Amino acid sequence: MSSIENHGSAQDGALAAPQIAQAALAASANSPLEYVDSCKLPTNWATFQLHAFFEPSTGKEHLALTLGDVGNGEPVLARIHSECLTGDALGSQRCDCGPQLELALQKIAKEGRGLLMYLRQEGRGIGLLNKIRAYHLQDGGADTVEANQRLGFAADLRSYTMCEPMLKHLGVTALKLMTNNPRKIDAMGKINVTITEHVPLIIKRNPYNERYLSTKATKLGHLIQPEL
Ligand SMILES: [Zn+2]
């Protein structure tokens, strides 16, 4: 904001911000995903371009990191990553989300070109607080699928519908998809994008994620060996 625009009192500014936000929400009410803005994001691996999106139907904010020219029609090395606060930010060893996120960003940096979609659907879609409840049940012996079901949720509530407008905005038409999850491969098959390659992301096991990874393989059909 320039100094000329910023001549009002602090109180004026405080009133204006919610009005602008409301107007933006109203304008985006009919759009499945609204592009908001982009910036540079220097990281340990590369300086990515970070793109922000707003999903009016859920009120959620989603992100995409890109490296290089992803809109030139060539297949793009890509990862669809659902938020996991405990794994991504806190170093939790209960799951493999943090190492998968890091490995995907490393691979994109090495390739010099790629895309990571960061979707805000924590705990396979049940939310952070319910994920903590599910972890408590797992502390008592339930596996990841049983815990979700005992809380009244399906094993996996994640949706990937927001990927279509995100890919369209970025001009991406073909993916080399880094995933072990056949549901993501199926979901991409239903939208207007071609999967030219599946790139597995193999993460080392530890004593804490051993049962989680085996359950993903045996109950959720992930393409990883139960005893790898
Ligand atoms: Zn996780």
Side-chain angles (χ1 to χ4, degrees):
M1 189 178 281
S2 76
S3 58
I4 296 172
E5 289 165 332
N6 199 19
H7 66 278
S9 70
Q11 197 179 15
D12 287 341
L15 286 172
Q19 285 165 355
I20 291 166
Q22 274 189 351
L25 280 177
S28 64
N30 295 321
S31 167
L33 197 70
E34 188 76 10
Y35 167 70
V36 178
D37 210 344
S38 301
C39 68
K40 286 192 174 74
L41 190 75
T43 70
N44 290 339
W45 306 282
T47 296
F48 292 89
Q49 195 71 15
L50 179 63
H51 311 271
F53 299 86
F54 178 70
E55 188 179 29
S57 63
T58 59
K60 289 190 173 163
E61 299 152 332
H62 302 292
L63 298 172
L65 280 93
T66 60
L67 186 65
D69 180 5
V70 295
N72 63 6
E74 291 294 313
V76 177
L77 183 65
R79 165 86 183 150
I80 305 167
H81 191 88
S82 293
E83 177 180 33
C84 172
L85 184 80
T86 46
D88 297 343
L90 302 179
S92 168
Q93 295 195 341
R94 297 190 75 125
C95 61
D96 57 347
C97 303
Q100 283 201 333
L101 178 63
E102 286 200 16
L103 184 58
L105 292 173
Q106 271 174 27
K107 282 176 178 274
I108 291 168
K110 195 173 172 196
E111 178 127 329
R113 179 171 173 271
L115 161 68
L116 184 132
M117 289 177 269
Y118 193 90
L119 310 179
R120 306 291 303 284
Q121 40 187 359
E122 173 69 65
R124 293 208 191 98
I126 68 175
L128 180 60
L129 301 183
N130 283 320
K131 186 173 83 169
I132 306 305
R133 292 189 177 107
Y135 278 171
H136 186 185
L137 291 173
Q138 288 171 43
D139 288 343
D143 71 31
T144 181
V145 171
E146 290 162 354
N148 274 26
Q149 288 168 345
R150 277 168 60 182
L151 290 169
F153 297 110
D156 194 339
L157 289 172
R158 286 175 295 185
S159 158
Y160 302 102
T161 52
M162 69 292 266
C163 295
E164 185 164 24
M166 203 180 268
L167 291 168
K168 193 177 173 195
H169 174 83
L170 297 168
V172 175
T173 53
L175 302 178
K176 295 185 283 182
L177 191 61
M178 292 184 274
T179 186
N180 307 316
N181 183 352
R183 284 191 70 241
K184 284 184 192 166
I185 297 166
D186 285 352
M188 291 302 103
K190 289 174 188 148
I191 68 174
N192 195 21
V193 65
T194 307
I195 307 294
T196 60
E197 201 180 321
H198 304 146
V199 181
L201 280 178
I202 304 300
I203 300 299
K204 271 192 178 170
R205 294 180 174 227
N206 65 49
Y208 306 101
N209 70 18
E210 173 65 34
R211 188 169 180 217
Y212 167 84
L213 293 175
S214 295
T215 302
K216 283 213 298 193
T218 55
K219 288 197 173 178
L220 295 170
H222 281 228
L223 307 171
I224 44 181
Q225 295 299 313
E227 292 174 292
L228 194 69

